[in-house]
């Protein structure tokens, strides 16, 4: 699911990235001029397939590793994160505790 979202985002933003690159290189003065130039060249979607592939693979790895780490952490600590935060807050974890002096 995450890799599909990354692929869709890459596909939709590729034309914007191409326009930005053309503006940065100075081959066009305005974004409208850059779009007209790329439409004439047929280059508005250039580089989309490698970018979509890279984002799909990256999303697959990122979310796969995230899910696996989440499973390992939940197995190691059976309490939920919210329970641990509430327990720490009710203990007064944010306050500085008085130090004991050695006898």
């Amino acid at each position: 699911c995450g890799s599909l979202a990354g692929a869709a985002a890459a596909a939709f933003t590729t034309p914007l990235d191409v326009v930005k690159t053309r503006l940065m290189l100075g081959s066009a003065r305005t974004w409208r001029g850059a779009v007209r130039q790329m439409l004439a060249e047929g280059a508005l979607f250039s580089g989309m397939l490698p970018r979509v592939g890279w984002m799909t693979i990256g999303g697959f790895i990122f979310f796969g590793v995230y899910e696996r780490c989440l499973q390992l952490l939940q197995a190691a600590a059976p309490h939920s994160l919210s329970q641990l935060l509430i327990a720490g807050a009710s203990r007064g974890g944010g306050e500085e505790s008085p130090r004991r002096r050695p006898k």
Side-chain angles (χ1 to χ4, degrees), residues 52-68:
V52 167
W54 175 253
M55 293 303 244
T56 303
I57 293 169
F60 179 75
I61 292 170
F62 175 79
F63 285 107
V65 169
Y66 170 78
E67 288 294 327
R68 182 65 182 145

Side-chain angles (χ1 to χ4, degrees), residues 6-94:
F12 287 124
T13 60
T14 294
L16 298 173
D17 194 43
V18 174
V19 169
K20 175 199 65 131
T21 302
R22 290 287 178 109
L23 289 172
M24 290 174 63
L25 292 174
S27 62
R29 293 186 180 187
T30 64
W31 67 271
R32 288 181 184 170
V35 170
R36 285 188 193 119
Q37 181 184 22
M38 288 181 298
L39 285 173
E41 296 173 7
L44 193 59
F45 292 97
S46 62
M48 185 171 77
L49 288 178
R51 188 169 185 223
V52 167
W54 175 253
M55 293 303 244
T56 303
I57 293 169
F60 179 75
I61 292 170
F62 175 79
F63 285 107
V65 169
Y66 170 78
E67 288 294 327
R68 182 65 182 145
C69 288
L70 189 61
Q71 289 172 355
L72 291 173
L73 287 172
Q74 286 175 344
H79 300 291
S80 71
L81 180 61
S82 60
Q83 289 174 334
L84 292 174
L85 289 174
I86 291 170
S90 64
R91 183 181 171 273

Side-chain angles (χ1 to χ4, degrees), residues 86-102:
I86 291 170
S90 64
R91 183 181 171 273
E95 299 173 7
E96 187 176 327
S97 59
R99 296 182 181 184
R100 293 185 182 175
R101 294 184 183 180

